[in-house]
Amino acid sequence: DIVMTQSPDSLAVSLGERVTINCKSSQSVLYSSNNKNYLAWYQQKPGQPPKLLIYYTSTRESGVPDRFSGSGSGTDFTLTISSLQAEDVAVYYCQQYHSTPYTFGQGTRLEIK
Amino acid sequence: QLQLRPSGPGLLKPSQTLSLTCAISGDSVSSNSATWNWIRQSPSRGLEWLGRTYFRSRWFRDYALSVKSRITVNPDTSKNQFSLQLNSVTPEDTAVYYCTRETPVGWSDFWGQGTLVTVSS
């Protein structure tokens, strides 16, 4: 199985500041046939299921604010929130869908400082 | 608008069988462009994909190796739903269970509200 490791486990950031969450896969999730990285990001707020934010590393799901962006390739990926809003408090997960079983990172808890 | 509504018992004793169903509205379990997943979440194991079913001219099922000997995921086309059966549960199977729709490529674009299943004697 591909192991997904996120860092940090938690962070506290001031409103309006930039947030960076990292995700590392134990093997490449780059699909050579289409040159796409099979990496998604989800946001989970308390008492709710995860919500898809980004797929193919950097493509935002419909309705996701453009302050959320994703980047990376191969085994190293980043989710960035350009300016933290109060409603962004949540746990964020990365997921690889390159190889079954599709696996998730352990999550990064984001709080307001 | 897609809705996924899981249902099933919330409390089980060890060795019993966990049975959940996920009713689909706004899509079809027989869709050629969707895959129907069960994923669970617990503090100890995080988010864990369990299994899925999908129709591509015929029905397919895939299971996580960790539960492969105990799990069955089945579609029910008459009720437009799919089910999860997990045999011989232990307290380690205590988790919130989610049903999700997965795109043909692999990300889950819609998650139902989770259902908490507790295994305790």
Side-chain angles (χ1 to χ4, degrees), chain B residues 27-36 54-56 101-105 109:
Chain B
D27 202 341
S28 170
V29 71
S30 303
S31 168
N32 275 294
S33 61
T35 298
W36 305 98
Y54 55 100
F55 185 77
R56 304 287 188 268
R101 181 181 71 181
E102 180 187 298
T103 66
V105 183
D109 65 344

Side-chain angles (χ1 to χ4, degrees), chain A residues 12-80:
Chain A
V13 176
S14 300
L15 290 173
E17 294 297 303
R18 186 182 188 88
V19 175
T20 299
I21 297 171
N22 300 303
C23 175
K24 188 174 184 68
S25 57
S26 61
Q27 59 193 75
S28 176
V29 297
L30 175 66
Y31 231 82
S32 55
S33 60
N34 59 11
N35 202 38
K36 289 183 182 291
N37 288 279
Y38 280 35
L39 190 284
W41 289 96
Y42 299 86
Q43 174 194 64
Q44 186 176 31
K45 296 182 179 180
Q48 297 184 19
K51 172 192 168 187
L52 176 69
L53 292 178
I54 287 171
Y55 56 93
Y56 281 143
T57 300
S58 59
T59 303
R60 276 188 302 275
E61 174 74 330
S62 175
V64 173
D66 61 6
R67 63 179 179 274
F68 290 92
S69 63
S71 62
S73 185
T75 61
D76 292 281
F77 301 90
T78 300
L79 173 69
T80 301

Side-chain angles (χ1 to χ4, degrees), chain B residues 72-106:
Chain B
T72 305
V73 176
N74 277 328
D76 182 344
T77 57
S78 66
K79 296 181 180 178
N80 200 32
Q81 63 186 28
F82 62 108
S83 64
L84 167 69
Q85 183 172 300
L86 190 64
N87 300 326
S88 304
V89 298
T90 72
E92 284 205 352
D93 295 310
T94 294
V96 175
Y97 286 74
Y98 294 102
C99 48
T100 84
R101 181 181 71 181
E102 180 187 298
T103 66
V105 183

Side-chain angles (χ1 to χ4, degrees), chain B residues 50-75:
Chain B
L50 297 175
R52 63 183 184 176
T53 187
Y54 55 100
F55 185 77
R56 304 287 188 268
S57 304
R58 67 175 179 90
W59 286 103
F60 291 84
R61 297 166 181 80
D62 299 317
Y63 301 126
L65 284 178
S66 60
V67 295
K68 191 167 187 177
S69 63
R70 302 192 287 134
I71 190 174
T72 305
V73 176
N74 277 328

Side-chain angles (χ1 to χ4, degrees), chain A residues 42 44 49-50 55-56 93 97, chain B residues 41 98 105 107-108 111-113:
Chain A
Y42 299 86
Q44 186 176 31
Y55 56 93
Y56 281 143
Y93 296 93
Y97 48 95
Chain B
Q41 185 174 32
Y98 294 102
V105 183
W107 60 85
S108 282
W111 298 58
Q113 284 296 329

